[in-house]
Amino acid sequence: PFTKVSQIKTIETIREYLTTEEIRAIEQAETRATETKRAFLFACYTGLRFSDIKNLKYEDIKDDIIQIKMIKTSSFIRIPLNQQSKKYLYKDKNILPLPQTKVFNLSMATNCNESLKRLFKKAGIKKNKISFHLSRHTFATLSLNLGIDIYTVSKLLGHKDLNTTQIYAKLLDSAKIEAMAKFNNL
């Protein structure tokens, strides 16, 4: 029945992400939704999806490596923690929680996204689409910008297909500018 149906064309969308300056502005901004802010910033430095952050327990972190089965893909992933992500791991540095305790006490994604919109407004950040998933885009883009190879970024994000990760490489004008600058020495 589908032999006469033409192939559906996908529309390439622009993926927004935060710059390091915007991340700093969020860190400085006051909010009552401190848990959402903490989880969002943690996600900016780990690339985890909201569902995985929401279910993350302290027992899932061994020797500074997150080891979980991702909810969306059912794939196992290992993400080493960096110094930036460790800043957001504990609510209170003086109290070590039980291993079964969730790292973040988050409500539904829609509530967190509304809190993020208010937080972004206070931080003076304007984006077309503000959601928790913006942290994942931020992680991917910043990783590539820092020179982490695309294959490693793909593995950190838990992508099964490298093409999925290549979407983020398209965002980096700095890499294009650097490449074209090589012609200046001819």
Side-chain angles (χ1 to χ4, degrees), residues 2-156:
F2 295 104
T3 55
K4 296 186 184 198
V5 175
S6 59
Q7 186 175 357
I8 299 171
K9 295 181 181 179
T10 58
I11 299 169
E12 192 172 310
T13 59
I14 296 173
R15 299 201 182 205
E16 290 187 301
Y17 61 94
L18 298 174
T19 64
T20 52
E21 294 80 19
E22 290 171 326
I23 292 172
R24 299 290 173 256
I26 289 172
E27 288 174 330
Q28 310 270 316
E30 293 294 322
T31 181
R32 290 187 313 208
T34 56
E35 198 68 357
T36 298
K37 176 181 171 179
R38 189 170 73 89
F40 180 82
L41 290 167
F42 183 80
C44 285
Y45 294 115
T46 60
L48 287 174
R49 290 180 183 89
F50 177 80
S51 56
D52 297 322
I53 291 267
K54 186 172 174 52
N55 291 303
L56 184 66
K57 295 178 182 171
Y58 286 101
E59 66 188 359
D60 298 327
I61 303 168
K62 296 170 184 78
D63 299 322
D64 287 341
I65 298 175
I66 297 171
Q67 301 175 60
I68 58 167
K69 182 178 180 181
M70 292 187 303
I71 291 173
K72 181 178 179 182
T73 63
S74 295
S75 300
F76 285 97
I77 191 167
R78 291 172 44 90
I79 301 172
L81 294 175
N82 53 52
Q83 292 302 322
Q84 297 297 330
S85 61
K86 288 180 191 179
K87 291 191 305 191
Y88 303 105
L89 202 50
Y90 298 100
K91 270 188 264 194
D92 185 347
K93 309 267 188 258
N94 299 320
I95 300 172
L96 287 177
L98 295 171
Q100 305 85 3
T101 306
K102 287 188 176 183
V103 176
F104 303 99
N105 183 19
L106 298 172
S107 60
M108 296 180 348
T110 51
N111 295 344
C112 289
N113 289 338
E114 287 304 314
S115 295
L116 286 174
K117 288 174 186 175
R118 289 189 296 276
L119 176 61
F120 276 51
K121 188 174 183 177
K122 283 185 179 181
I125 299 169
K126 294 179 181 167
K127 298 290 177 189
N128 290 323
K129 187 176 180 187
I130 298 170
S131 73
F132 202 93
H133 204 69
L134 184 62
S135 63
R136 194 163 160 84
H137 298 313
T138 299
F139 173 79
T141 308
L142 290 180
S143 296
L144 292 169
N145 224 0
L146 288 169
I148 300 171
D149 68 275
I150 196 163
Y151 179 78
T152 302
V153 174
S154 181
K155 292 299 167 199
L156 288 169

